[in-house]
């Protein structure tokens, strides 16, 4: 292998792919990042950064600029919309467990922009947009990726290839790993508005999961707008549910008003719970949504992907410096069980809780949460799990 080919190929320039490239560069390891889009997308995707993720980012100077662009959320709630009763979790109880005892609401693309700005001056990282992976092959020494880009079709060579190309991962398909799991029946409409819900809903937090009559919605507050997760009427086609008048009708159910709601962005998405049986096939490794996807309830998906990036970059560094290639199996051992038991399962429980329609069962759930909050020990234990701190601690104990 030529010296120029001693590098890591990374497919996908989202937060996971760019973070992996950045962390490898800090260890003197070159990489080539390929992204099929012409530029970084700035659409509605993840927006929650959990405390341990902020701790990790802070070590590399990314937390402060993110915090400056986002909204600090010291608490989050589960609410009854008709009575405004609520169970509010105060993240300050984690002050001895993290330097950032709060959630940060900030769009994931802002982290991507920060990473890209840092990497554009980095000689060890080559980033190619409008470049699509079409095939790959492995041998004993490395991986050959066939890509189609502005210069046509070419073959790129590297020691390893990281698939960070999202839920519809081309890499995962090319190495023949199944994406086992389920697709939930509901479709979610995510829409933004500058309307000040906080002036109309008593005691509203910056992060709110809300039961309403025969349904649910969530409100997450960014610096200048609210992100609203809404659910179309049963049987309504998605194209119709995305019409401004139907989004307005759903928001009118939250706070009725004489004027129409001003809607910013809107998109629909299906919710899945899926995971691959292995994160590795030879010298090809998966990370983030390419390896596991979950319900967005609780905001764990992007965070879990970034945790993958930190673990994987550390593992690749050890191998680069002489450790056995089989050390990649440790990456799967440390990350897959955590994703399955601590991320997917917890997100599934969060979703199931908010999908509950029976008022009596909702009351039982809310009362149970209030009992947890009333006990400092149980409240801290609950928040260690929901904030992903416990998951990272468990991962570190696996050899």
């Amino acid at each position: 292998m030529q010296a120029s080919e001693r590098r890591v190929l990374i497919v996908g320039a989202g937060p996971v792919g760019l973070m992996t490239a950045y962390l490898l560069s800090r260890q003197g390891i070159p990489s080539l990042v390929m992204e099929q889009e012409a530029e970084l997308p700035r659409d509605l995707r993840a927006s929650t950064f959990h405390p341990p993720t902020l701790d990790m980012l802070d070590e590399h100077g990314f937390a402060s600029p993110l915090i400056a662009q986002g909204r600090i959320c010291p608490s989050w709630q589960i609410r009854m919309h008709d009575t405004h009763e609520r169970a509010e979790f105060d993240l300050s109880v984690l002050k001895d467990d993290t330097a950032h005892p709060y959630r940060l609401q900030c769009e994931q693309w802002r982290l991507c922009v920060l990473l890209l700005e840092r990497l554009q001056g980095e000689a060890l990282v080559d980033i190619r947009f409008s470049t699509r992976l079409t095939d790959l092959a492995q041998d004993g020494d490395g991986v050959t990726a066939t890509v189609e880009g502005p210069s046509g079709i070419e073959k790129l060579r590297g020691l390893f290839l990281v698939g960070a190309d999202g839920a519809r991962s081309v890499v995962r398909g090319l190495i023949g790993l199944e994406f086992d799991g389920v697709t939930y029946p509901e479709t979610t409409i995510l829409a933004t508005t500058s309307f000040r819900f906080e002036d109309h809903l008593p005691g509203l937090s910056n992060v709110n999961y809300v039961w309403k009559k025969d349904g649910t919605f969530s409100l997450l507050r960014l610096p200048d707008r609210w992100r609203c997760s809404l659910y179309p009427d049963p049987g309504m086609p998605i194209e119709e549910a995305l019409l401004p008048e139907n989004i307005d009708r759903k928001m009118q159910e939250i706070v009725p008003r004489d004027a129409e709601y001003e809607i910013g962005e809107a998109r629909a998405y299906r919710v899945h719970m899926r995971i691959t049986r292995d994160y590795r096939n030879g010298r090809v490794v998966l990370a983030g949504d390419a390896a596991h996807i979950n319900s967005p309830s609780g905001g764990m998906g992007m965070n879990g992907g970034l945790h993958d990036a930190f673990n994987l970059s550390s593992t690749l560094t050890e191998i680069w410096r002489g450790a056995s290639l089989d050390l990649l199996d440790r990456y799967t051992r440390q990350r897959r069980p955590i994703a399955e038991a601590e991320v997917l399962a917890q997100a599934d429980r969060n979703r199931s809780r908010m999908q509950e329609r029976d008022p009596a069962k909702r009351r039982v759930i809310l009362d149970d949460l209030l009992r947890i909050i009333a006990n400092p020990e149980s409240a801290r234990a609950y928040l260690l799990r929901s904030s992903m701190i416990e998951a990272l601690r468990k991962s570190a104990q696996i050899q």
Side-chain angles (χ1 to χ4, degrees), residues 15-163:
V16 177
L18 291 175
M19 181 57 73
T20 302
Y22 168 78
L23 292 170
L24 290 173
S25 73
R26 296 302 88 199
Q27 300 301 321
I29 299 174
S31 64
L32 186 154
V33 181
M34 58 194 86
E35 168 58 50
Q36 66 177 1
E37 300 296 331
E39 59 185 11
L40 291 179
R42 301 195 180 198
D43 53 358
L44 286 173
R45 301 195 187 192
S47 68
T48 297
F49 290 85
H50 282 295
T53 308
L54 292 170
D55 291 344
M56 291 173 160
L57 295 175
D58 202 21
E59 294 177 8
H60 298 274
F62 293 112
S64 291
L66 268 185
I67 291 168
Q69 299 177 73
R71 182 176 290 277
I72 289 175
C73 304
S75 66
W76 58 272
Q77 298 180 354
I78 294 175
R79 296 174 61 98
M80 297 277 201
H81 188 51
D82 55 345
T83 64
H84 305 305
E85 293 173 274
R86 53 197 177 270
E88 179 166 298
F89 285 89
D90 179 2
L91 287 153
S92 69
V93 303
L94 300 177
K95 63 182 184 302
D96 295 329
D97 300 285
T98 172
H100 301 85
Y102 49 81
R103 288 187 183 186
L104 179 73
Q105 289 304 123
C106 183
E107 303 96 325
Q108 75 167 38
W109 63 261
R110 296 185 185 275
L111 174 60
C112 293
V113 169
L114 291 172
L115 283 163
L116 186 61
E117 289 174 350
R118 191 84 64 91
L119 291 174
Q120 284 174 335
E122 175 55 68
L124 289 174
V125 182
D126 181 7
I127 301 177
R128 302 188 186 183
F129 287 95
S130 301
T131 301
R132 182 173 63 91
L133 177 72
T134 60
D135 201 3
L136 64 82
Q138 301 188 62
D139 55 43
D141 297 321
V143 183
T144 301
T146 303
V147 303
E148 184 176 357
S151 301
I153 297 174
E154 61 179 318
K155 294 186 181 296
L156 303 172
R157 183 81 171 155
L159 288 176
F160 304 95
L161 185 144
V162 175

Side-chain angles (χ1 to χ4, degrees), residues 159-183:
L159 288 176
F160 304 95
L161 185 144
V162 175
D165 51 339
R168 299 179 180 179
S169 173
V170 173
V171 175
R172 186 181 63 241
L174 289 173
I175 60 176
L177 286 175
E178 298 294 328
F179 211 25
D180 300 323
V182 299
T183 299

Side-chain angles (χ1 to χ4, degrees), residues 42-46 190-192 222 225 227 265-267:
R42 301 195 180 198
D43 53 358
L44 286 173
R45 301 195 187 192
L190 183 59
T192 64
L222 293 164
R225 54 187 168 154
R227 285 169 54 111
E265 302 171 85
R267 65 177 285 247

Side-chain angles (χ1 to χ4, degrees), residues 330-349:
R330 185 188 67 187
Y331 167 66
T332 295
R333 289 197 303 272
Q334 289 184 331
R335 295 304 304 157
R336 189 188 184 282
I338 297 303
E340 187 171 40
E342 301 293 332
V343 178
L344 273 72
Q346 190 171 167
D348 182 62
R349 289 193 295 271

